[in-house]
């Protein structure tokens, strides 16, 4: 029960520091010269927007089949093998063709079987009964690719939203192909929807200069519409991708020095630089289309070879459109389009009502605990209440320090923590009562009561701590918010119960030296 000056100063210092860290949460505009940290309010408290988005897995499979078509053509031509009537069957997930000569069928199968696979056993190459050869995507490979695409989409969505400056967005997976996006404080998410609804898959492809193909596209050429319909009808663009947008390393919104209009500058990595340099050197005088999400942004003529790996996109952008396009290019292309399945908005008034209800429940619960402890344990009950108040302050301080997001389940976790902290104080006071009843002196009763209660308190809180850590690790959304406050509350409960309340009792005894204890 002895507290040295250093130990006394340390306990009081922690409590004062916690109080200092809590103060910014009660201020509208903390002093800008001091790096204050505050608790952020979640969607249910602050209001905002809720978006449920679905990944178009059919489009993902379609894109993979189109890639297999191109890889099949390249592999057969490099091996000097011919083919006829190559086509895609999206329902059966196959790419099939007729060999030029039936005698070459075995060589065709052996050549195509060497094609690279995105995942193990992605596809098989088979000879069909009608003499065609088919590449068949396996169902397991499609599912594996879908799971990977959703995971990749979540990361890209996070990068895009972070680039807009949104505070504490919550992005989680739901089911096999859906993503939940919660945006606290954003009541009109139209810009976010536009950013997430754009795949931002950019490719650089040569334009077919044959005028006959402007209305009828032969195999290997597609009629791609212009992003701005005022610039004309669809352009015949080769399906072969000369430079892929995935090779971009940076993009930014700039003002074109010649026209004074907004544009998007970009730069490639070493792979993209070599590809861009090669295609511009060998195709001077031809049009080179910049295709974004199957729409031609612009198709300038290659005047001179471009070897620096840098370029610029113009297309009648304003500042916002140029900034958003640059942001999407930096974040990377989505593996498949996202569509909004459900959208909800929570108004600030509803969030304010939730805050009032949460504060009211905390206040009433705290008041009832204070009254209970004072009625049953007298002076020691008051000391337990002081420790309880310090516990609440320290919880808020730690949440502020890490700029955590507080939700309604988090506030419920705070209230539950106060109840758990009271249990620890009740256990200590009851132990002290037992020792007094056995005839021990006041100091011995306090000493023995704390010693015997400490191991029980530590054991019970340790098991609860581990359980809530698992909830935080494996839980999502509201579950994690609840587990976070409980986990922090357990740590602060051990501090305030075993150190602060004990210190208050010890200092009182040292001053008064009572003949009996008020329990």
């Amino acid at each position: 029960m002895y507290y040295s000056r250093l130990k006394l100063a340390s306990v009081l210092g922690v409590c004062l520091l916690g109080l200092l860290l809590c103060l910014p949460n009660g201020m509208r505009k903390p002093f800008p010269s001091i790096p204050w940290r505050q608790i952020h309010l979640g969607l249910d408290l602050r209001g905002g927007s809720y978006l449920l988005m679905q990944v178009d897995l059919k489009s993902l499979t379609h894109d993979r089949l189109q890639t297999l078509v191109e890889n099949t053509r390249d592999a057969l031509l490099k091996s000097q093998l011919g083919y006829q009537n190559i086509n895609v069957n999206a329902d059966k997930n196959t790419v099939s063709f007729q060999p030029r000569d039936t005698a070459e069928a075995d060589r065709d199968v052996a050549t195509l079987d060497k094609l690279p696979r995105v995942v193990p056993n992605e596809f098989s190459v088979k000879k069909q009964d009608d003499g065609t050869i088919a590449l068949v995507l396996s169902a397991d490979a499609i599912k594996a690719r879908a799971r990977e695409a959703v995971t990749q989409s979540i990361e890209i969505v996070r990068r895009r939203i972070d680039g807009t400056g949104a505070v504490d967005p919550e992005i989680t997976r739901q089911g096999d192909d859906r993503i939940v996006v919660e945006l606290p404080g954003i009541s009109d998410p139209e810009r976010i929807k536009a950013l997430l609804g754009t795949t931002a898959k950019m490719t650089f492809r040569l334009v077919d200069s044959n005028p006959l193909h402007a209305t009828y596209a032969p195999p290997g050429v597609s009629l791609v519409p212009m992003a701005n319909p005022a610039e004309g009808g669809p352009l015949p663009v080769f399906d072969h991708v000369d430079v892929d947008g995935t090779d971009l390393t940076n993009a930014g919104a700039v003002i074109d020095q010649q026209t004074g209009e907004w544009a998007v500058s970009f730069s490639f990595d070493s792979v993209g630089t070599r590809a861009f340099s090669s295609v511009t050197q060998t195709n001077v005088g031809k049009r080179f289309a910049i295709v974004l999400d199957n729409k031609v942004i612009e198709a300038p003529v290659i005047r001179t070879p471009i070897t620096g790996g840098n370029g610029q996109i113009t297309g009648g952008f304003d500042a916002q459109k140029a900034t958003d396009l640059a942001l999407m290019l930096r974040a990377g292309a989505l593996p498949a389009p996202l569509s909004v399945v459900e959208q909800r908005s929570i108004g600030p008034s509803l969030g304010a009502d939730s805050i009032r209800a949460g504060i009211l429940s905390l206040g009433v619960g705290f008041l009832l605990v204070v009254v209970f402890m004072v009625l049953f344990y007298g002076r020691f009950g008051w000391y337990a209440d002081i420790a309880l108040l310090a516990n609440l302050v320290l919880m808020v301080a730690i949440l502020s320090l890490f700029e955590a997001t507080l939700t309604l389940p988090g506030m419920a976790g705070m209230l539950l923590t106060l109840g758990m902290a009271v249990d620890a104080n009740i256990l200590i006071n009851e132990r002290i009562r037992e020792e007094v009843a056995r005839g021990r002196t006041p100091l011995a009763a306090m000493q023995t009561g704390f010693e015997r209660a400490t191991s029980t308190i530590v054991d019970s809180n340790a098991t609860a701590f581990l359980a809530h850590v698992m909830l935080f690790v494996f839980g999502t959304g509201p579950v994690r918010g609840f587990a976070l406050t409980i986990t922090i509350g357990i740590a602060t409960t051990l501090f305030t119960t075993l150190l602060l309340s004990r210190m208050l009792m010890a200092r009182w005894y040292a001053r008064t030296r009572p003949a009996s204890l008020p329990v």
Side-chain angles (χ1 to χ4, degrees), residues 245-264:
T246 56
D247 296 327
L248 289 173
T249 58
N250 195 18
V254 297
I255 296 180
D256 192 332
Q257 298 299 322
Q258 297 180 350
T259 63
E261 296 180 349
W262 282 95
V264 177

Side-chain angles (χ1 to χ4, degrees), residues 346-414:
I346 300 175
S349 60
L350 182 60
D353 291 340
S354 299
I355 293 174
R356 282 193 294 271
I359 292 176
L360 180 63
S361 63
L362 272 174
V364 172
F366 187 84
L367 181 61
L368 291 176
V369 168
V370 167
V371 172
F372 173 85
M373 294 300 292
V374 171
L375 290 178
F376 276 79
Y377 300 107
R379 177 181 289 275
F380 284 3
W382 281 111
Y383 293 156
D385 292 336
I386 294 172
L388 205 60
L389 180 60
N391 192 1
L392 184 60
V393 168
L394 290 176
M395 273 195 291
V396 175
I398 294 175
L399 289 172
S400 302
L401 185 63
F402 291 102
E403 295 185 311
T405 300
L406 183 64
T407 60
L408 275 176
M411 297 186 77
M414 285 185 172

Side-chain angles (χ1 to χ4, degrees), residues 22 34 59 65 84 93 115 117 120 141-142 188 197 217 222 232 254 269 291 307 309 351 362 389 398 428 439 494 518:
C22 283
I34 303 176
S59 173
L65 290 173
Q84 303 176 53
N93 298 323
L115 288 176
R117 289 162 169 78
I142 292 175
D188 184 15
S222 299
V254 297
D269 58 15
V291 182
T307 59
L362 272 174
L389 180 60
I398 294 175
I428 291 172
L494 291 176

Side-chain angles (χ1 to χ4, degrees), residues 260-275:
E261 296 180 349
W262 282 95
V264 177
S265 64
F266 60 87
S267 57
F268 289 105
D269 58 15
S270 57
V271 175
T273 299
R274 286 195 297 269

Side-chain angles (χ1 to χ4, degrees), residues 64-70 72 86-90 92-97 112 124-126 128 133-137:
R64 181 54 181 155
L65 290 173
Q66 293 297 328
T67 303
L68 281 179
V69 169
E70 187 173 335
T72 298
I86 188 167
N87 62 77
V88 174
N89 188 328
K92 296 183 179 179
N93 298 323
T94 61
V95 174
S96 60
F97 66 93
L112 297 178
S124 58
V125 186
K126 302 177 181 177
Q128 306 294 320
I133 296 176
L135 288 79
V136 184
L137 287 176

Side-chain angles (χ1 to χ4, degrees), residues 187-422:
S187 57
D188 184 15
E190 292 305 317
R191 184 190 174 200
I192 302 293
K193 286 170 61 180
L195 284 174
L196 302 184
T198 304
T199 309
K201 184 176 182 180
M202 190 168 72
T203 57
F204 298 79
R205 294 184 266 168
L206 289 169
V207 177
D208 190 345
S209 57
N210 190 332
L212 298 177
H213 297 163
T215 55
Y216 173 76
V221 177
S222 299
L223 293 174
V224 182
M226 300 294 294
N228 184 2
E231 297 182 4
L235 284 180
V237 179
F238 286 103
D239 292 337
H240 176 74
V241 176
D242 295 287
V243 185
D244 199 326
T246 56
D247 296 327
L248 289 173
T249 58
N250 195 18
V254 297
I255 296 180
D256 192 332
Q257 298 299 322
Q258 297 180 350
T259 63
E261 296 180 349
W262 282 95
V264 177
S265 64
F266 60 87
S267 57
F268 289 105
D269 58 15
S270 57
V271 175
T273 299
R274 286 195 297 269
F276 202 73
S277 175
S278 175
V279 71
T280 54
Q281 285 178 348
T282 56
N283 293 280
V284 173
K286 297 181 180 180
R287 297 183 72 184
F288 199 31
I290 302 173
V291 182
L292 179 69
D293 290 346
N294 205 34
K295 289 184 179 180
V296 177
I297 297 179
E298 61 176 340
V301 176
I302 301 174
R303 301 297 183 186
T304 57
I306 303 173
T307 59
N310 299 311
Q312 188 170 282
I313 305 172
T314 58
F317 299 120
D318 58 20
Q320 188 67 67
K321 289 182 179 179
T323 301
D324 288 347
L325 177 56
L327 170 60
M328 289 185 289
L329 294 179
R330 287 197 305 272
L334 290 166
L338 286 175
S339 58
V340 177
V341 177
E342 181 184 353
Q343 176 182 343
R344 297 199 305 265
S345 293
I346 300 175
S349 60
L350 182 60
D353 291 340
S354 299
I355 293 174
R356 282 193 294 271
I359 292 176
L360 180 63
S361 63
L362 272 174
V364 172
F366 187 84
L367 181 61
L368 291 176
V369 168
V370 167
V371 172
F372 173 85
M373 294 300 292
V374 171
L375 290 178
F376 276 79
Y377 300 107
R379 177 181 289 275
F380 284 3
W382 281 111
Y383 293 156
D385 292 336
I386 294 172
L388 205 60
L389 180 60
N391 192 1
L392 184 60
V393 168
L394 290 176
M395 273 195 291
V396 175
I398 294 175
L399 289 172
S400 302
L401 185 63
F402 291 102
E403 295 185 311
T405 300
L406 183 64
T407 60
L408 275 176
M411 297 186 77
M414 285 185 172
L415 188 56
L416 181 59
T417 299
L418 296 180
M420 295 168 61
V422 167

